[in-house]
Amino acid sequence: GLLRRNLIDKAGMARTRWLAGQNPLLAAAMVTTGDDYDRFLRSYLSYELLPQRFADEMERDYLSRPFASSVANGSSSSLIGVLGHYSMANYFECLNVSDHGAVLPTHFTSACLEAGIHMDAGLFGWYPLIDRANGTYMQIAQSTLVSSINDFTPTTAALKLRAMIKPLVDCALQNGRKENED
């Protein structure tokens, strides 16, 4: 169907499937691998899946004026207070990380918007991240079972890993770019 033709096959995601029959609930029923999700991120970042104008629209901050003056419901408010503003199918990342790696509640700022980092921390501990400002992406992929929809242990672990790893990735890539320039 449409999903297979326009996403799974187009991005080369050979081991990806969904479990919800004819009307897939992508966020809840898609099963993939780290390698397949890497193919998706690479295809999305390079605008092979969607033209840039569509990706730009999906990544717009729709929780700021003039689009929105408040968040729709309380459960969204708590996630936004920790993760950042939600756009279409991803968050504008705005993490407040303590010196010990803990992710603390924060307020969305212009610096978060300008950083251009989009992510979508998942319930099972998956943490894909696209850094538009630096033209890079990364993901944290864990194989974790949760006991209920309210079990955020894997998500919390992914947030902590992201807080520790992203600065190291940025440093390594920056040093690599400097070496290539010299």
Side-chain angles (χ1 to χ4, degrees):
L2 288 173
L3 181 64
R4 176 153 299 284
R5 183 174 61 245
N6 294 302
L7 174 66
I8 294 172
D9 291 345
K10 192 172 182 179
M13 300 169 70
R15 294 182 149 182
T16 298
R17 64 190 191 286
W18 65 92
L19 307 175
Q22 293 296 316
N23 187 17
L25 303 168
L26 294 181
M30 185 169 273
V31 177
T32 192
T33 66
D35 288 340
D36 272 8
Y37 206 84
D38 184 74
R39 289 180 187 94
F40 164 75
L41 288 171
R42 191 170 346 119
S43 297
Y44 180 77
L45 184 64
S46 63
Y47 306 112
E48 294 171 10
L49 284 178
L50 293 172
Q52 182 176 350
R53 68 181 190 278
F54 292 137
D56 289 349
E57 200 62 35
M58 286 177 62
E59 295 172 14
R60 183 185 299 251
D61 178 15
Y62 284 106
L63 291 183
S64 293
R65 295 184 189 278
F67 302 107
S69 57
S70 65
V71 177
N73 63 46
S75 63
S76 294
S77 295
S78 62
L79 288 173
I80 290 164
V82 174
L83 301 177
H85 274 191
Y86 197 74
S87 48
M88 184 178 173
N90 64 83
Y91 284 90
F92 252 103
E93 185 182 74
C94 192
L95 300 181
N96 179 15
V97 181
S98 76
D99 293 337
H100 303 290
V103 179
L104 307 170
T106 190
H107 295 285
F108 194 76
T109 65
S110 60
C112 296
L113 184 64
E114 291 166 13
I117 298 175
H118 299 271
M119 63 83 176
D120 194 12
L123 180 64
F124 297 99
W126 215 276
Y127 198 102
L129 179 147
I130 294 175
D131 184 339
R132 286 286 184 195
N134 290 314
T136 60
Y137 70 92
M138 64 177 256
Q139 66 174 320
I140 295 168
Q142 302 178 76
S143 178
T144 309
L145 297 176
V146 295
S147 59
S148 77
I149 197 163
N150 296 317
D151 180 3
F152 293 107
T153 305
T155 307
T156 302
L159 283 164
K160 288 179 182 179
L161 281 170
R162 181 270 179 240
M164 292 184 293
I165 292 170
K166 177 76 165 82
L168 298 173
V169 169
D170 289 346
C171 182
L173 292 175
Q174 191 67 4
N175 286 337
R177 286 183 186 125
K178 285 180 183 177
E179 287 176 7
N180 287 336
E181 290 172 2
D182 295 339

